[in-house]
Amino acid sequence: MRFEKYFEPASIKECCELLVEYGKDAKLLAGGTDLVPKMKAEVLAPKAVISLHKIPGLETYKLCDKGVTIGALMPLRKLSLCEDLNKWPALKAAAGHVSSMQIRNQATLGGNACNASPSADAVEGLMVYDAIVNIAGPNGDREVEIADFFKGPGKTDLKEGEFVVSFFVPAPEEGTGAAYRKFAIRGDTDISIVGAGARLLLKDGKIADARITLASVAPTPMRAVKTEEFLIGKTPDEETAKAAGKIARDEAKPISDPRASAWYRKDIVEVEVYHAILDAAAAVK
Ligand SMILES: Cc1cc2nc3c(=O)[nH]c(=O)nc-3n(C[C@H](O)[C@H](O)[C@H](O)COP(=O)(O)OP(=O)(O)OC[C@H]3O[C@@H](n4cnc5c(N)ncnc54)[C@H](O)[C@@H]3O)c2cc1C
């Protein structure tokens, strides 16, 4: 593993300055579960490695009436077990489906998003709740909706000198239920063949709002917008879930790779979206 310089900035400003100074030759280090294996394999050889760990406040979360702000360095295991975050069960479940306990102890929410893998599990939990990405940069702070943050495999909306500080996750309305399901051959330690998230808001027994998110079936984590539109006004029963699964199947744009063929992934989307909708409906509070 090769790198020339290692930095531990103590503030957001200092971190942005280093990112500007080193540009494409710099890599941020969060939990390192993506970065370090790539550096060991010499897929990446940054000149400067910049750790985020000395910047205060990035590992914590803060609740308010409107939702919760979760720091980019929040470890995924801590997130998956945090009782203060019980209002967001799909986010906790998605974080809890990332690989093994060892990886989740180390891996962070910010790293999961910034790695920008189409198969990122914790990202799906953020997408289900329409989270906002809080970004710091040399020209000040800005916010991006999580669905707009991903620009392609490994590509994000981050500009030179910017990094993710936290995520704001809005509190779900009363009458909301949500779920995340991961389908992988060897369980959670395996990368998903399909991930499916669902959030339903029920009013008078009908679906008033819906989010359906998919992992591993497009170049970026995606929302199944046509499926969401179909669900509005419907009763959240088996018939609705079955029909929605078929629409999501058509919306998914998977490729074939060594883990699964495109047609198999589409079949799994249909099944997992069906279950995610019924799980979300059963979880309504
Ligand atoms: C054995 C193994 C199994 C895995 N299984 C899964 C799985 O099942 N599901 C899954 O989703 N992932 C999986 N992963 C991938 C990885 O663990 C996750 O993506 C993890 O959340 C990455 O977080 P990290 O903190 O370790 O990121 P790091 O490795 O530290 O960083 C990842 C990338 O994001 C950048 N970065 C990190 N933080 C920020 C920030 N705040 N702002 C801007 N850029 C930043 C880094 O520079 C780097 O390019 C697995 C990895 C391994 C090694």
Side-chain angles (χ1 to χ4, degrees):
M1 197 163 70
R2 286 179 295 136
F3 55 94
E4 288 172 20
K5 298 204 170 169
Y6 176 74
F7 296 98
E8 293 184 328
S11 69
I12 289 174
K13 186 169 171 284
E14 204 186 317
C15 185
C16 292
E17 284 167 2
L18 284 166
L19 286 171
V20 171
E21 186 182 339
Y22 284 90
K24 288 192 169 47
D25 290 330
K27 272 286 168 196
L28 288 172
L29 174 71
T33 61
D34 278 311
L35 183 66
V36 173
K38 282 183 193 154
M39 286 177 66
K40 279 190 173 164
E42 301 196 349
V43 175
L44 288 175
K47 241 187 218 166
V49 173
I50 305 170
S51 165
L52 293 171
H53 289 269
K54 290 273 161 70
I55 302 174
L58 297 190
E59 269 191 40
T60 54
Y61 59 93
K62 201 170 173 195
L63 291 156
C64 68
D65 290 348
K66 290 192 171 157
V68 62
T69 301
I70 304 177
L73 282 192
M74 175 82 152
L76 295 178
R77 181 162 151 80
K78 190 170 159 193
L79 171 51
S80 72
L81 298 175
C82 181
E83 298 211 343
D84 285 345
L85 301 181
N86 284 350
K87 258 190 202 166
W88 296 273
L91 176 58
K92 289 180 66 172
H97 277 302
V98 173
S99 192
S100 61
M101 192 198 291
Q102 291 88 334
I103 292 284
R104 288 195 296 276
N105 275 332
Q106 192 72 20
T108 66
L109 187 58
N112 198 251
C114 296
N115 191 50
S117 165
S119 64
D121 287 299
V123 162
E124 293 288 308
L126 293 169
M127 300 246 303
V128 160
Y129 294 106
D130 293 342
I132 302 290
V133 188
N134 295 318
I135 297 169
N139 302 317
D141 300 340
R142 66 184 182 100
E143 298 175 350
V144 179
E145 287 179 22
I146 186 79
D148 297 331
F149 183 67
F150 305 104
K151 299 299 177 194
K155 294 201 177 95
T156 69
D157 189 49
L158 289 172
K159 313 278 187 297
E160 195 184 78
E162 290 186 333
F163 73 104
V164 173
V165 172
S166 62
F167 302 88
F168 176 72
V169 193
E173 264 184 67
E174 206 173 305
T176 296
Y180 177 68
R181 297 176 61 91
K182 170 172 176 171
F183 181 87
I185 299 295
R186 292 173 296 145
D188 286 340
T189 51
D190 208 354
I191 301 293
S192 68
I193 283 175
V194 170
R199 170 169 59 84
L200 303 179
L201 171 66
L202 300 192
K203 288 194 177 156
D204 302 322
K206 303 275 190 214
I207 300 171
D209 192 17
R211 277 296 163 280
I212 301 295
T213 69
L214 297 171
S216 295
V217 294
T220 62
M222 65 170 274
R223 262 177 72 180
V225 178
K226 287 183 188 151
T227 313
E228 292 171 0
E229 285 166 3
F230 164 80
L231 287 167
I232 307 295
K234 304 280 190 314
T235 310
D237 55 17
E238 283 209 18
E239 197 187 325
T240 299
K242 244 184 211 168
K246 287 189 194 307
I247 298 168
R249 179 187 213 286
D250 288 341
E251 280 192 85
K253 301 278 176 281
I255 53 164
S256 295
D257 68 12
R259 279 184 293 118
S261 64
W263 67 260
Y264 182 65
R265 282 194 157 97
K266 275 184 170 274
D267 278 359
I268 300 298
V269 165
E270 187 172 337
V271 175
E272 292 301 332
V273 167
Y274 163 84
H275 284 297
I277 288 170
L278 293 181
D279 289 354
V284 168
K285 286 191 182 131

